[in-house]
Amino acid sequence: MKPTHGFKLVAATAAIMAAVSAAPAHAADTEVVKFGFAAPLTGPQSHYGEDMKNGLTLAIEEANKQNIELDGKVAKFELVSRDDQADPRTAVQVAQQIVDENVQGILGHFNSGTTIPASSVYNDAGLPQIAMATSPEYTQQGYDTTFRMMTSDTQQGAADGEFIVKDLGAKKVAIIDDRTAYGQGLADQVAGAVKANGGEIISREYTNDKANDFTAILTNIKDKQPDAIFFGGLDAQSGPMRRQMATLGIKAPLVSGEMTRSDTFLKLAGDAANGTYASLAGVPLKQMAAGEKFEADYKSRFNVNPGVYAPYAYDGAWNMITAMKEAGSSKPDAYLPKLAALKRSGATSNSIEYDKNGDLKEISVTIYQVKDGKWEMVKTMVSKAAE
């Protein structure tokens, strides 16, 4: 009787090969696509950075469930995170670290003061960047790699200045800013808009983003009897500022930008918060195109309510992912033209597209006021940017 070992071996080998060929392609056909992300993740601005990071994370986790094919392989998206501490010098350092990680795109930074210097590092590396930064200078550098997640300060400042003069009836306006790229940039735009609408800037004062005593500045402003005071800066300063205004008996309302429109401001200002106004690029969450769904998904994933920036970060991530899908590639030079020509409906808007500079074409700004310790919507303005 002839031995059967050889036959059995051949049969077993054939069976294994058949099983391998019939098995679905997974690890061998998967490629990691890295997105760089930097924002303040420690310190007094960390709540902004964490909110932004959560929005990005939600988008990336959703994308990974879709088995999106790029460059012939299923993409697994990952976030390479760095803490820039809201410091321009640190931002440049972490930008280079992110580039060295071989990322395919940048979702960040958060602050204008960090985004602008870091953007040159990313541009030199040929990496598209979608940032939260709102200072107009960010997209006016001549780079074809810079894009926004939110309305710019040029657009927001114009709305703020008009609201102060026309809606609040303020003719004499005092302005304070914290000398950051964000705070000064927004304050400059508001000053121009106040003048354009017939108002007068009676005082222009300066502080910094570490200060917490504004008594001298506010005393000087009080003597000039302003009808309104605008502050360009963070909630860590606007909260104490509003409380000190109440202590000094200043009756003029405080108006500020989106960084003041936060729960942190309400906690820091206490009872004095009532009557404060703050603008926010975009529309209220429940009025967004898919805001209620986003809110539910966010709360389910993170067990907290989304902050101001999360839905814009979420859309920013999906803008980059969508451009990659349309290009069929994660290579920056392949998907960059698709990003520039993007037209999509997202969580924040049904009409997301960019102009030639990388600014959003849809301008949306909402004014809020603190009433009974809570932020309530006062007015929303939505329009298209001039071509």
Side-chain angles (χ1 to χ4, degrees):
M1 196 170 178
K2 294 182 179 180
T4 58
H5 298 86
F7 175 77
K8 289 180 178 179
L9 181 60
V10 171
T13 302
I16 292 171
M17 291 179 66
V20 170
S21 63
H26 289 299
D29 291 329
T30 300
E31 184 170 341
V32 173
V33 176
K34 298 179 181 179
F35 292 131
F37 164 67
L41 299 176
T42 57
Q45 297 188 48
S46 60
H47 57 294
Y48 297 135
E50 288 295 339
D51 186 49
M52 183 179 178
K53 184 179 180 181
N54 286 349
L56 299 176
T57 298
L58 187 62
I60 287 172
E61 289 178 351
E62 289 178 359
N64 282 335
K65 294 177 182 178
Q66 296 186 13
N67 293 323
I68 297 168
E69 189 172 305
L70 301 176
D71 302 301
K73 295 185 178 182
V74 174
K76 180 186 178 185
F77 300 101
E78 291 184 357
L79 203 60
V80 176
S81 300
R82 294 288 185 276
D83 179 12
D84 67 17
Q85 302 172 33
D87 176 70
R89 290 185 180 181
T90 303
V92 173
Q93 294 171 359
V94 301
Q96 189 58 58
Q97 292 172 11
I98 289 171
V99 170
D100 292 343
E101 289 279 348
N102 296 317
V103 300
Q104 301 296 330
I106 308 298
L107 298 168
H109 298 216
F110 174 75
N111 306 82
S112 298
T114 56
T115 300
I116 294 169
S119 65
S120 64
V121 178
Y122 303 131
N123 183 70
D124 289 345
L127 292 171
Q129 177 186 13
I130 309 180
M132 195 68 73
T134 55
S135 176
E137 285 78 11
Y138 167 55
T139 52
Q140 293 176 359
Q141 301 176 92
Y143 300 155
D144 63 356
T145 52
T146 55
F147 300 86
R148 293 192 194 279
M149 296 178 181
M150 297 185 80
T151 297
S152 76
D153 286 340
T154 301
Q155 299 159 332
Q156 187 178 172
D160 286 343
E162 179 180 335
F163 175 80
I164 289 170
V165 177
K166 293 188 175 180
D167 292 72
L168 297 184
K171 296 299 183 183
K172 299 188 298 179
V173 181
I175 293 182
I176 309 168
D177 76 68
D178 65 1
R179 295 285 89 180
T180 64
Y182 161 75
Q184 183 179 351
L186 180 59
D188 287 345
Q189 298 300 324
V190 171
V194 166
K195 294 174 184 176
N197 284 279
E200 177 188 0
I201 306 301
I202 60 169
S203 180
R204 184 73 191 259
E205 301 282 351
Y206 312 101
T207 182
N208 64 73
D209 61 354
K210 305 294 189 297
N212 54 34
D213 185 357
F214 310 99
T215 304
I217 290 174
L218 292 173
T219 299
N220 182 45
I221 288 174
K222 180 182 179 181
D223 292 340
K224 298 178 181 179
Q225 300 182 327
D227 299 318
I229 299 173
F230 181 86
F231 173 64
L234 314 177
D235 52 13
Q237 280 68 53
S238 59
M241 183 180 294
R242 183 65 189 92
R243 198 171 61 246
Q244 291 162 29
M245 285 173 61
T247 300
L248 291 169
I250 297 175
K251 302 300 182 183
L254 177 66
V255 185
S256 191
E258 78 273 358
M259 286 190 172
T260 288
R261 200 292 194 190
S262 71
D263 290 340
T264 299
F265 169 80
L266 299 178
K267 293 174 184 176
L268 293 175
D271 293 340
N274 289 322
T276 300
Y277 294 91
S279 62
L280 174 64
V283 299
L285 190 63
K286 294 189 183 303
Q287 292 185 20
M288 290 179 181
E292 291 188 356
K293 181 182 184 304
F294 173 82
E295 182 178 29
D297 291 345
Y298 187 99
K299 290 173 70 174
S300 175
R301 172 63 178 83
F302 301 107
N303 297 315
V304 293
N305 290 318
V308 168
Y309 301 98
Y312 297 98
Y314 173 86
D315 268 345
W318 268 116
N319 290 352
M320 188 166 282
I321 293 167
T322 300
M324 289 182 174
K325 286 174 64 177
E326 291 180 355
S329 175
S330 64
K331 293 180 173 59
D333 58 347
Y335 78 83
L336 178 58
K338 297 295 184 181
L339 183 59
L342 183 76
K343 290 184 180 181
R344 64 176 289 264
S345 178
T348 58
S349 171
N350 281 321
S351 179
I352 298 175
E353 55 182 314
Y354 294 108
D355 66 14
K356 59 183 176 59
N357 292 325
D359 293 325
L360 291 166
K361 286 187 177 181
E362 183 176 87
I363 302 171
S364 53
V365 179
T366 301
I367 306 293
Y368 293 84
Q369 184 183 20
V370 182
K371 296 180 180 179
D372 298 323
K374 296 180 180 180
W375 288 106
E376 294 188 10
M377 186 188 76
V378 175
K379 182 179 183 181
T380 295
M381 296 156 275
V382 179
S383 62
K384 282 283 187 181
E387 295 290 343

